[in-house]
Amino acid sequence: MTQTSEAAAVVGKPEPRRPRIHRAWFVAAVTFVTIIGAAAFRSLPGLLIDPLHQEFDWSRGTIGAAVSVNLALYGLTAPFAAALMDRFGIRRVVAVALTVIAIGSGATVWMTAAWQLLLCWGLLVGLGSGSMALAFAATVTNRWFTERRGLVTGILTAASASGQLIFLPVLSWIVETHDWRPAAVTVALAALAVVPFVWLLLRDHPADVGLKPYGAKDFVPKPAPVPGAARRAVRVLLSAVRTGPFWLLAGTFAICGASTNGLIQTHFVPAAHDHGMPITAAASLLAVIGVFDVAGTIASGWFTDRFDARRLLAVYYALRGISLLFLPLLLAPSVHPPMIFFIVFYGLDWVATVPPTMALCREHYGEDSAIVFGWVLASHQVGAAVVAFAGGVARDVFGSYDVMWYASGALCAAAALMALVIRRVGNAPATGLAAAR
């Protein structure tokens, strides 16, 4: 009998039982639901283009400007949000972000001028959804988990990537059946509905509930709040840009965004339609990518816990590049088995790059890794934006998207080589940016 058990027996009280399921998994579950919601919130802007053009006679360029602001802020807000979470706590930042999204989305039903769309959906929803980007997942994973970090990262990443594709058909149906205003109100209500769960179930640190992080041998005290969140985000960036791993991680992740959100998510449907495939069929194939992305990303997290993250990235980018080179040969008026194979294969590799990228940020940047990953995520969004624009230009100039498939395949090959040259850190755990120098 242990000393604790003997002491409990002396006073006649049973030894307290440890909960079978660690609190970290409940925190991860709330984070999962919140990130799915954040992805769903970003699904609506693209559906608003035609309805707003028809109702207000705004140009598609004007409407697209609001969407561009939304996408840019989604990436650029992430590092500052990570710093704000260190200063004010995860729960407060996420609750405020959800409220901002609800206000921005709900206010659109009363707008009458284009600048109001820029303010409501571009600025407010962009800031809110950016505060719940993948940097949020990195912060939760770093604080609550010592073991299974790769697996948890994979699960939370799958929520981010698949939420948009899963909710897109639902919001599309609402817009088509009930107009765009009910869809905007639906997003606002969905954001508000998550707030109570975040406030009641999400906790900033295991020490808040007297627990060790999952898998930790020793109790980890809660760190003191870090003042100057914005200054810290900029300071971490200025320090990170002086290290080689940052540029390699940012470069590979920019190519990741270019070859997924920028290329496939933006241009796959019109490219397939160019070859005679019905739009509904092409959109369904895009949704299937989101389904298989869940399995691929979770599996990637499991692999990240067991294999060299650099080699995993190299394999993922190489396979993605090869698949893109074959895509022009697969596009046809109907869906055939080789195309289904491409969709499944590409879905498994859609954001499988995120868990090893997060792991390399942790390895090289230690306690600053969540903020560094936020900046790396910003490069992902920049890459996506560049290729989304370039794809449209290529279609206008060449009459097809073929040059974009081949160029993206070549970029993925370059990303595979870049991943392999990221240097390894020694066995000692990294602490802050000093470990990357």
Side-chain angles (χ1 to χ4, degrees), residues 241-326:
V241 296
R242 295 198 293 267
T243 67
F246 174 81
W247 291 106
L248 292 169
L249 290 168
T252 55
F253 221 42
I255 293 174
C256 178
S259 57
T260 53
N261 300 79
L263 184 64
I264 295 295
Q265 188 169 355
T266 305
H267 297 295
F268 176 80
V269 172
H273 188 60
D274 285 346
H275 287 75
M277 184 181 296
I279 293 178
T280 52
S284 298
L285 290 176
L286 194 61
V288 171
I289 287 179
V291 173
F292 282 93
D293 159 71
V294 175
T297 309
I298 293 174
S300 177
W302 187 86
F303 290 141
T304 302
D305 286 332
R306 292 160 174 80
F307 301 103
D308 186 344
R310 302 172 309 146
R311 295 183 180 180
L312 287 175
L313 281 180
V315 171
Y316 295 155
Y317 284 120
L319 293 176
R320 183 184 298 177
I322 293 172
S323 66
L324 288 172
L325 295 177
F326 280 100

Side-chain angles (χ1 to χ4, degrees), residues 68-237:
S68 298
V69 171
N70 181 290
L71 292 173
L73 287 176
Y74 179 81
L76 295 174
T77 302
F80 296 97
L84 285 171
M85 289 176 187
D86 286 343
R87 175 66 179 87
F88 298 105
I90 299 174
R91 184 171 58 162
R92 291 180 181 177
V93 172
V94 174
V96 170
L98 289 166
T99 304
V100 169
I101 288 174
I103 294 172
S105 181
T108 58
V109 301
W110 293 292
M111 65 184 178
T112 57
W115 68 266
Q116 295 167 343
L117 178 65
L118 283 167
L119 174 64
C120 294
W121 205 269
L123 180 63
L124 294 179
V125 177
L127 288 173
S129 59
S131 298
M132 296 182 297
L134 292 177
F136 170 37
T139 302
V140 171
T141 304
N142 289 349
R143 291 187 182 184
W144 280 89
F145 292 86
T146 299
E147 295 181 354
R148 302 287 188 263
R149 278 180 169 176
L151 176 62
V152 174
T153 299
I155 293 172
L156 298 182
T157 302
S160 177
S162 299
Q164 189 171 356
L165 295 174
I166 292 171
F167 280 92
L168 188 60
V170 176
L171 294 175
S172 176
W173 176 82
I174 294 175
V175 171
E176 184 177 357
T177 307
H178 303 287
D179 195 25
W180 64 270
R181 285 182 175 84
V185 173
T186 299
V187 170
L189 293 177
L192 289 177
V194 178
V195 172
F197 294 97
V198 169
W199 195 256
L200 294 174
L201 300 178
L202 193 62
R203 290 294 180 269
D204 298 329
H205 196 278
D208 289 341
V209 289
L211 294 175
K212 305 173 185 176
Y214 180 83
K217 296 181 179 179
D218 300 316
F219 183 82
V220 179
K222 183 178 180 178
V226 181
R231 290 195 302 273
R232 184 188 177 203
V234 174
R235 185 174 66 252
V236 169
L237 173 64

